Amino acid sequence: MAKAPCLCARPSLAARTRRPGPGPAPRLRRWRPNATAGKGVGEVCAAVVEVATKAEDEGEEDEPVAEDRYALGGACRVLAGMPTPLGATALAGGVNFAVYSGGATAAALCLFTPEDLKADRVTEEVPLDPLMNRTGNVWHVFIEGELQDMLYGYRFDGTFAPHCGHYLDVSNVVVDPYAKAVISRGEYGVPARGNNCWPQMAGMIPLPYSTFDWEGDLPLRYPQKDLVIYEMHLRGFTKHDSSNVEHPGTFIGAVSKLDYLKELGVNCIELMPCHEFNELEYSTSSSKMNFWGYSTINFFSPMTRYTSGGIKNCGRDAINEFKTFVREAHKRGIEVILDVVFNHTAEGNENGPILSFRGVDNTTYYMLAPKGEFYNYSGCGNTFNCNHPVVRQFIVDCLRYWVTEMHVDGFRFDLASIMTRGSSLWDPVNVYGAPIEGDMITTGTPLVTPPLIDMISNDPILGGVKLVAEAWDAGGLYQVGQFPHWNVWSEWNGKYRDIVRQFIKGTDGFAGGFAECLCGSPHLYQAGGRKPWHSINFVCAHDGFTLADLVTYNNKYNLPNGENNRDGENHNLSWNCGEEGEFARLSVKRLRKRQMRNFFVCLMVSQGVPMFYMGDEYGHTKGGNNNTYCHDSYVNYFRWDKKEQYSDLHRFCCLMTKFRKECEGLGLEDFPTAERLQWHGHQPGKPDWSENSRFVAFSMKDERQGEIYVAFNTSHLPAVVELPERTGRRWEPVVDTGKPAPYDFLTDDLPDRALTIHQFSHFLNSNLYPMLSYSSVILVLRPDV
């Protein structure tokens, strides 16, 4: 633990001017609360400087600082502090506070007890001397003494001119962007006193020690090609009553269900946003909840209301509970990736609240037009100014914290294309250190080598963690296959999703594109030097239809969202299999079951990294709502009772993930070549890439299975396919989505497995196999005995 240097003797700017020669430096004056009561930060700081200067000129000795006593309950000395690191840092004997604010003319550190925070009352306010407590654009102070169970924030004074982009308002106490836990309301969905949905917030003051026991936890560092990713909403995973956990909707509650994910075959969880956000941000005007959490208040703090302890122990229990979740996931061989939202914040546009970044330095943290308007490439009111030097360092610091302190294994970057756009007041000299010939970059211009992406990609601490980009944004920038990558960035492959949906539902013209998807999308990634595992393959995710709704609805049904069905994607590439809605003929329901299995087979046999959304393994439905961001209800909750009710699909998904892991050829390091992969049509070696082809098949040599044969028939007509001839061996069916459960996946322990295979022996003996319409099959080569 580093020892804090005593900086009380650091000479002020005035002292250095007046005393060119050696001599005693002035000490900080004691701050007397009564003397500054009712004054603004600027007045207070000016008064402190005036008194200090006067004392210095008159040769007056300061009263002993050690005698200062505040309402903190003990002796505290206010020292100059250090400008680095940013945030609140516990050191020997006290806490150093440092915050960047380039435009502020005055600042004050505000301290709260938890009780005073609830009452919206500052416990103590420490004005910062601009001569003693400012280095460059960083304000800093060291509080020597006991600050346990205290919280903090800042006041900043300066220009308040929204038309120029400035929001420095002394009436606001704002949250430090580097705060490691943010405290406000303690219970999820419950407003503060007076029905206040936006009560005063404050940051946790850290302790100089950690009480958490990692029990020897180390990064799993799986090769990315071996991942099976499960996109999960932390609260939704266990909030339903049928989860039967002690603390539903929390990290601890989710820990008790990690064994389920291991049985499912998942070895990586992609957590939807778990940074501090306000689920009640819409509640002032409606009953909607911000359930998904894509509206971050603070990027260092875990969501306190996702924990059983809430705001107890000033948020430290929340941090430890998140760590427990990661540690227990690692024990079960499961990595944890965070969905991070560095594209915008909860402060919205000019009509939004002043919570943190806006009140600290709006022109630095947000992408602004010349008259202070907020660029809106996020579609959420503002755009984080990612490639500004201060902001990109902030983002890297944040990512490092989650890797080193919280042990996460990687990040999925929401609307990551925003991170490639030029910052406000783009200045190549400031960014690159030299002018660029012909540089005509304006705010928001996509950059070929974005400084932020460069920093993350080459950071020594972030080396080896998973970096996944959602390679598009709401401003129309679409970079799938073209995201700046440094050979370390993967992408959510939205083109995979669209092509697979089209082919599986039987749309003409997609056979060739579907084959590319099965190979890991080399048309997108090979030319740029990337590999199949840079493609994160998915059919469904949190936004859009669930897997069950994808085969049940042609249209979206988003009226419960309160936006007259205008929200959500209109082009879903879905097919209801003949009838709209859940209530349908038995034949339609059977077809839907086949289609869900077809999609899952496709995911698990494709090169690249498969990802599926929580609940799709049992057929969770949201009733056709494809944008359920605002529902804290059964619509978004994992239904553990339904998982048991629809156990046939769950069984199939478990077996498919297991099969993928058992096949070396389904998770290749590089794109497959003709040496091990062969394409087929209804006859071996004769693929049909014509416009109206609805059949794709391939055989793959495999070091563990010998060889596998995979075929997809997305025609409305059945087919009998001829299998490749293999002398001395025969093909044995494993998967056939055209069969009812449990015969859709033939396991070795299935009681009548041999009889089932024998029923098809007349086909197999002739090297043939019958396929139902809209079905897929997997066969494995076995010795002919």
Side-chain angles (χ1 to χ4, degrees), residues 219-222 224 335 396 399-400 403-404 408-411 413 453-467 485-489:
L220 296 175
R221 296 193 182 278
Y222 290 138
Q224 190 155 312
E335 292 189 335
V396 170
L399 298 177
R400 286 176 170 181
V403 170
T404 58
V408 302
D409 303 284
F411 307 92
F413 294 81
I453 306 301
D454 188 355
M455 283 182 68
I456 295 173
S457 304
N458 294 290
D459 186 82
I461 294 176
L462 300 178
V465 305
K466 278 71 177 180
L467 301 172
H485 56 81
W486 278 265
N487 285 324
V488 297
W489 285 80

Side-chain angles (χ1 to χ4, degrees), residues 758-770:
H758 180 72
Q759 292 174 342
F760 285 84
S761 60
H762 56 296
F763 282 102
L764 296 172
N765 290 338
S766 301
N767 236 34
L768 301 172
Y769 194 83

Side-chain angles (χ1 to χ4, degrees), residues 667-744:
L668 297 176
E669 178 68 28
D670 211 337
F671 296 100
T673 64
E675 294 180 0
R676 65 184 307 167
L677 182 144
Q678 185 178 10
W679 296 105
H680 309 291
H682 291 101
Q683 294 179 317
K686 297 181 179 180
D688 182 3
W689 307 124
S690 65
E691 185 70 14
N692 59 355
S693 173
R694 298 186 183 182
F695 185 88
V696 171
F698 68 90
S699 57
M700 170 77 72
K701 293 180 180 178
D702 188 271
E703 292 180 359
R704 300 174 192 153
Q705 299 288 351
E707 191 172 0
I708 61 173
Y709 175 89
V710 182
F712 294 88
N713 178 29
T714 64
S715 169
H716 62 286
L717 299 173
V720 176
V721 299
E722 183 178 346
L723 304 173
E725 187 77 34
R726 298 291 185 261
T727 304
R729 294 179 175 272
R730 61 178 303 183
W731 293 102
E732 187 174 286
V734 176
V735 173
D736 188 342
T737 63
K739 293 191 175 73
Y743 307 107
D744 52 356

Side-chain angles (χ1 to χ4, degrees), residues 5 11 110 122 177 183 263 320 355 363 387 481 491 517 532-533 538 580 597 623 637 639 782:
C110 298
V122 176
I183 307 303
E263 294 168 3
N320 287 344
L355 307 172
T363 58
N387 282 297
E491 298 172 7
C517 291
W533 43 268
F538 68 103
E580 188 77 352
R597 285 163 172 77
Y637 295 166
R639 295 291 301 273
R782 302 292 189 209

Side-chain angles (χ1 to χ4, degrees), residues 22-234:
R27 288 172 290 174
L28 277 179
R29 296 287 299 176
R30 179 174 57 173
W31 175 58
R32 300 175 177 86
N34 292 337
T36 58
K39 294 185 178 182
V41 174
E43 297 175 277
V44 170
C45 290
V48 171
V49 174
E50 181 181 352
V51 171
T53 304
K54 181 179 179 181
E56 191 176 288
D57 290 339
E58 297 174 357
E60 177 186 329
E61 288 294 325
D62 287 341
E63 296 176 47
V65 182
E67 293 180 2
D68 285 334
R69 291 186 180 272
Y70 301 105
L72 307 181
C76 289
R77 293 202 304 167
V78 180
L79 309 179
M82 301 176 294
T84 58
L86 294 177
T89 305
L91 301 170
V95 179
N96 189 79
F97 298 86
V99 61
Y100 170 91
S101 181
T105 58
L109 174 69
C110 298
L111 301 174
F112 300 84
T113 63
E115 294 73 23
D116 281 345
L117 181 67
K118 290 180 182 179
D120 196 14
R121 181 175 57 239
V122 176
T123 306
E124 294 289 349
E125 188 161 329
V126 182
L128 305 185
D129 182 344
L131 300 180
M132 300 292 290
N133 300 109
R134 182 172 183 174
T135 303
N137 290 326
V138 177
W139 297 82
H140 47 82
V141 64
F142 184 83
I143 305 296
E144 185 179 86
E146 180 61 54
L147 292 177
Q148 187 170 354
D149 297 330
M150 294 295 293
L151 307 167
Y152 78 104
Y154 291 100
R155 289 192 199 274
F156 292 101
D157 208 350
T159 303
F160 185 85
H163 63 282
C164 297
H166 301 296
Y167 289 82
L168 294 167
D169 185 350
V170 72
S171 67
N172 293 309
V173 178
V174 295
V175 175
D176 180 4
Y178 278 79
K180 302 307 186 291
V182 174
I183 307 303
S184 60
R185 298 176 294 103
E187 187 175 350
Y188 189 97
V190 178
R193 64 174 62 185
N195 205 34
N196 186 0
C197 296
W198 286 103
Q200 178 63 53
M201 292 178 284
M204 171 205 71
I205 296 179
L207 299 176
Y209 55 86
S210 173
T211 59
F212 186 77
D213 183 6
W214 279 105
E215 299 178 6
D217 178 69
L218 292 172
L220 296 175
R221 296 193 182 278
Y222 290 138
Q224 190 155 312
K225 67 182 183 65
D226 295 335
L227 296 185
V228 175
I229 300 177
Y230 189 80
E231 190 188 19
M232 187 178 99
H233 188 281
L234 192 283

Side-chain angles (χ1 to χ4, degrees), residues 384-405:
F384 217 47
N385 204 20
C386 294
N387 282 297
H388 186 285
V390 171
V391 181
R392 66 176 186 258
Q393 185 62 59
F394 165 81
I395 293 173
V396 170
D397 289 345
C398 182
L399 298 177
R400 286 176 170 181
Y401 173 81
W402 285 95
V403 170
T404 58
E405 182 66 23

Side-chain angles (χ1 to χ4, degrees), residues 336-467:
V336 178
I337 290 177
L338 289 189
D339 192 339
V340 291
V341 193
F342 289 113
N343 58 77
H344 75 284
T345 76
E347 291 180 305
N349 59 19
E350 63 275 6
N351 298 316
I354 299 175
L355 307 172
S356 179
F357 304 96
R358 176 172 294 159
V360 172
D361 197 327
N362 186 69
T363 58
T364 291
Y365 284 107
Y366 293 114
M367 200 178 288
L368 304 177
K371 293 185 179 181
E373 304 96 331
F374 289 84
Y375 280 85
N376 191 19
Y377 293 118
S378 68
C380 298
N382 64 52
T383 304
F384 217 47
N385 204 20
C386 294
N387 282 297
H388 186 285
V390 171
V391 181
R392 66 176 186 258
Q393 185 62 59
F394 165 81
I395 293 173
V396 170
D397 289 345
C398 182
L399 298 177
R400 286 176 170 181
Y401 173 81
W402 285 95
V403 170
T404 58
E405 182 66 23
M406 309 295 259
H407 288 206
V408 302
D409 303 284
F411 307 92
R412 179 264 188 188
F413 294 81
D414 183 64
L415 299 184
S417 289
I418 283 176
M419 301 195 304
T420 71
R421 292 184 179 270
S423 60
S424 294
L425 306 177
W426 173 263
D427 180 3
V429 177
N430 191 25
V431 174
Y432 294 113
I436 300 174
E437 184 177 352
D439 178 58
M440 296 295 291
I441 293 175
T442 58
T443 301
T445 300
L447 307 175
V448 177
T449 56
L452 172 61
I453 306 301
D454 188 355
M455 283 182 68
I456 295 173
S457 304
N458 294 290
D459 186 82
I461 294 176
L462 300 178
V465 305
K466 278 71 177 180
L467 301 172

